[in-house]
Amino acid sequence: MKYNPNEIEAKWQKYWLENETFKAENNSEKPKYYVLDMFPYPSGAGLHVGHPLGYIASDVYSRYKRHQGFNVLHPMGYDSFGLPAEQYAIQTGQRPEDTTSVNIDGGTDKEGNKIAGYRKQLDKIGFSFDWSREVRTSNPDYYKHTQWIFIQLFNSWYNKNSDKAEDISTLVCIFSTEGNTNVNAVCDENIEAFSANEWNAFEKEQQEKILLQYRLTYLAETEVNWCPGLGTVLANDEIVNGVSERGGFTVVRKKMTQWSMRISAYAERLLQGLNAIDWSESIKESQRNWIGKSVGATVSFKVESQKSNVESEQQYIDVFTTRPDTIFGVTFMTLAPEHELVSQITTPEQKAEVETYIEKTSKRSERERMADVKTISGVFTGAYAEHPFTKEPIPVWIGDYVLAGYGTGAVMAVPCGDERDYAFANFFKDQNGMQEVKNIFDKDISEAAFGAKEGFQLVDSDFLNGLDYKKGTQKVIEELEKLNQGKGKTNYRLRDAVFSRQRYWGEPFPVYYVNGLPQMIDAKHLPIILPEVEKYLPTEEGLPPLGNALVWAWDSVQCSVVSTQLVDNATIFPLELNTMPGWAGSSWYWMRYMDAHNEKEFASKDALAYWESVDLYIGGSEHATGHLLYSRFWNKFLKDKGFAPTEEPFKKLINQGMILGMSAFVYGFGVGVKNVNPDLGIIKPKRYVISRTSYLSAIKGEYDDVITNIVDKELEKYKVIGNGNVEWDLELTAFTPIHVDVSLVNSSDELDVEAFKNWRSDFKDFEFILDKDKYIVGREIEKMSKSKYNVVTPDDICNEYGADTLRLYEMFLGPLEQAKPWNTAGISGVFGFLKKLCRLYFDDNGLIVTNDEPTKDNLKSLHKTIKKVAEDIEGFSFNTSVSQFMICVNELSAQNCHSRAVLEPLAIVISPYAPHIAEELWSLLGNTGSIATVDFPIFEPAHLVESSKEYPVSFNGKMRFTMVLPLDLTKEQIEEIVMKDERTIKQLEGRTPNKVIIVPGKIINLVG
């Protein structure tokens, strides 16, 4: 018999499916272990070989834990709402639910594109997923629970005294008996105080408006990243280099009324919780930076009304500073361009310049502004603020290095103590509105700011003179509090998360509006199902796509969704037109897997109590500050409300590295000309493809014979028609690398030129400059992507070599957490290893396994492997396990081992990595049932204990021969044996050595 991977793998995949081999039980006497992969988004492009890397690793670990006797939950589902599906719907006129379904299940879409389908691709690789628990965030039976969680957030507030979320009814109770003066809550700023009598006298509508200022999810006018090209708000992690990640559209900052969530209430708990979880330090540090805890003080600076256009009331600029001790070094202030005071305090003389600057900076994302430390820009508002102690006027500027959402959106600039302020002050030096830098440190600042918090004394700082950072900070806060112009404060960079999207393909909010105020739909009427619309674009009035829905109003009597034409604002009201963002469904999905078919609740208390949290979570590091932060926030909230059993959702997190693609390039070259007389005719230049060598020379300005010959050839065409004075226009000459589909390139990097020309119509007329009738492409390692045409699909590998080969090869590429390039050349070696493994068990005539007693060497090879593989899997060093398999099979082959006592446990050890062949070998050995839950072999150290030692025998330090001796011999016994050996007698030639040095187990050396 022969190793036929396609036949074997289809057989066992069918067996696993029919027998529900990997179905986890919610009630089991076994210890539980929960392994989770990050939710995949089912795009039409399907999987490439980079996607399964983390899945294979988690699958190896899941299978290993089953072998160890654990009840393993290893589920899979789809994050199936989102922008890509909607964009595709807009482009092709297809319903996003249809394209999403085809992308998951496979088939042909309305464009005639054949889609493999994520599910079929995943099954082909042989993952041990519990498919009975599959979830899709776009299914109403899933998002009804997302809507329910939203309602819980709306009906909660954060009590700082108890340090957790509580039901809004407890807040109402406090208001009705005490008012809000003593309420210690996370809420909007500048809330007006009221008594219990005043609260009880308020109209219901006024009470609702006040409660919105305290709810954990609330409506507010917020600065957002607005993308006109996509017609929606984007999260920071959806923006790259100032444009949308999807489509590359311009993104601007603007104010919109949005749903937001008070993730900021959990800032300290999110920060402290990092100490209790087993995550990489880099991911933890990313979250710490994003949360951005700062200890300092708030300071209020009066706006000098006589020098601004504000006359009616006293205005204050509030700043948060981590260095209140430097207050006497303030020489100017900077506001974020979006700061609400900018329009109020800017003088008429500066208005035009300020407005131009604001328009310009609105096109830069916050992330871009934070990252750009080199660009210095700003504008003087013409206004001044008053120093709280010296009463001196301080000019007020705006600059985009200040963010509206961090702190108060204003900074007191101390150039002598801050590099960015120092650079800003020097850049605008001698301009109106920029004062001279004042030094308050006993240090030289002629070349740079002094930013240290130690090793100095304050000078020229009034009552702070002679103090250090710690004492100065304490003293200035005391004095600010006396003036009622400041106090000590802890601040966080983490801002409330915008939770609205102006899109169609997302979870509908369970919200309707009465007199403009949001009302929650009772949970018993969920889900509120996404309606049908004809257009997925915003309405002509600029409303979100749900504004196109004909049936999208709430009948508060019948408790159902009805026609929008029936809205009377008496019993039938408009529904929310925004949808939830992509992170809504992925912020709690791991809990749904625990009890995926529960219709009444997102998961039962028993299921949640049994599984608790995810033991091992594997996914990409790109989610460090998005999904992972939001997930931790929702989990903590649900814990506060008595639903989630643990504070943290993911105990251990591993970020797999990226598998990079080997891209292929040709190098396009076009010739431009100048001095052309159009009356004599213009010739369209030919487009050429030159070699990588010519290209590399050309971009340095060095043109080889190939290029100069092309140029002469093109210029000659113009001379023929009478344009004799034409010249090569260097500015129009284009040297352009062009991506090539890697399927058009062979293993020797030779391009199929004709296939390339036929690949795309715009390449049909390219003229190739060949070398010996060949074109050799350039190669470059970069991200594997459909747009770079360097994608290798796992289906192709599985079809040719089998899934076990793919699994072993991906694990063999290198350490899991490192990026590594894909090189198909190594696949055949792994495939050869599996064939060699099979030859230990069977040959062309069938099974050759015997019941012979294994030799000592057989057992040594086996138990080295058992030990190594167990340690590697526990340590997530999967690549070195594959190396050990190869060593073991080579050794057993050399030993001609066919002993069942060795080969049966070997099949179990290799089964987490190559499960199909392991199942087949297990079955051939006469076993019934799946190998998947058989106990992992126990490592027996005795088989690795050496009973003898091969000693090097040296004479005067030079090794002359070796001899094998038992390890339990004494020095005297070893010396007696050595001296009687014929080889020793020959070496000594009758001499007696001066000294015999023997270290048992190590060396024998005869001296003299």
Side-chain angles (χ1 to χ4, degrees), residues 402-417:
V402 182
L403 304 178
Y406 179 57
T408 63
V411 299
M412 58 176 222
V414 182
C416 67

Side-chain angles (χ1 to χ4, degrees), residues 172-189:
V172 173
C173 182
I174 295 171
F175 286 169
S176 63
T177 56
E178 305 175 18
N180 72 339
T181 307
N182 296 319
V183 170
N184 190 14
V186 177
C187 54
D188 290 357
E189 294 183 355

Side-chain angles (χ1 to χ4, degrees), residues 293-296 321-326 417 441 450-458 467-473:
K293 182 178 180 178
S294 303
V295 178
T321 176
T322 59
R323 294 296 304 274
D325 60 309
T326 65
F441 301 113
F450 178 77
K453 289 186 177 181
E454 55 188 27
F456 71 89
Q457 286 188 346
L458 291 165
L467 300 183
D468 59 12
Y469 160 71
K470 192 172 182 180
K471 291 180 180 178
T473 296

Side-chain angles (χ1 to χ4, degrees), residues 831-993:
F831 183 57
F833 155 73
L834 284 173
K835 290 193 287 187
K836 192 169 187 177
L837 170 72
C838 291
R839 287 198 292 273
L840 292 173
Y841 295 80
F842 56 79
D843 60 17
D844 291 346
N845 298 316
L847 194 69
I848 56 174
V849 177
T850 70
N851 291 319
D852 295 346
E853 281 294 315
T855 68
K856 184 179 175 182
D857 285 342
N858 294 162
L859 291 171
K860 181 179 178 181
S861 295
L862 172 65
H863 282 271
K864 274 197 305 184
T865 304
I866 293 171
K867 181 177 186 290
K868 175 67 173 166
V869 172
E871 290 174 348
D872 284 350
I873 294 177
E874 292 285 5
F876 304 96
S877 298
F878 303 110
N879 57 314
T880 51
S881 279
V882 181
S883 298
Q884 181 58 39
F885 290 141
M886 293 176 175
I887 292 169
C888 180
V889 169
N890 284 338
E891 289 178 352
L892 294 176
S893 298
Q895 297 159 13
N896 197 26
C897 174
H898 301 290
S899 170
R900 176 184 293 269
V902 171
L903 298 185
E904 197 163 80
L906 179 62
I908 302 169
V909 174
I910 205 169
S911 66
Y913 290 83
H916 307 90
I917 189 59
E919 291 275 22
E920 184 69 9
L921 296 175
W922 185 253
S923 176
L924 286 171
L925 290 170
N927 298 294
T928 57
S930 171
I931 198 174
T933 54
V934 177
D935 289 346
F936 200 79
I938 297 173
F939 165 61
E940 297 178 17
H943 292 300
L944 301 190
V945 174
E946 300 288 352
S947 60
S948 61
K949 163 72 178 177
E950 184 178 27
Y951 284 89
V953 182
S954 301
F955 294 81
N956 294 318
K958 293 184 178 181
M959 198 270 285
R960 297 301 183 184
F961 59 85
T962 62
M963 60 193 314
V964 177
L965 299 173
L967 280 169
D968 57 357
L969 295 178
T970 64
K971 281 185 179 182
E972 292 75 19
Q973 290 171 323
I974 294 172
E975 182 174 347
E976 183 181 354
I977 294 170
V978 170
M979 294 305 292
K980 290 181 179 179
D981 191 281
E982 290 183 2
R983 292 170 294 180
T984 303
I985 296 169
K986 184 178 179 181
Q987 284 289 331
L988 290 174
E989 296 178 337
R991 298 189 314 275
T992 300

Side-chain angles (χ1 to χ4, degrees), residues 84-133:
E86 185 166 346
Q87 284 300 109
Y88 190 65
I90 292 169
Q91 293 165 11
T92 64
Q94 300 183 73
R95 298 165 72 236
E97 50 265 57
D98 292 341
T99 58
T100 300
S101 179
V102 171
N103 289 344
I104 295 173
D105 298 318
T108 305
D109 66 13
K110 290 182 179 179
E111 293 285 288
N113 300 311
K114 289 185 178 180
I115 310 295
Y118 265 58
R119 173 63 193 270
K120 291 175 183 175
Q121 287 188 292
L122 291 169
D123 281 345
K124 201 174 184 69
I125 302 173
F127 295 120
S128 61
F129 294 134
D130 180 356
W131 283 113
S132 70
R133 297 173 185 253

Side-chain angles (χ1 to χ4, degrees), residues 546-567:
L546 285 182
N548 294 311
L550 300 178
V551 180
W552 196 240
W554 183 249
D555 187 328
S556 60
V557 177
Q558 299 297 323
C559 296
S560 61
V561 178
V562 298
S563 169
T564 52
Q565 294 182 345
L566 299 177
V567 171

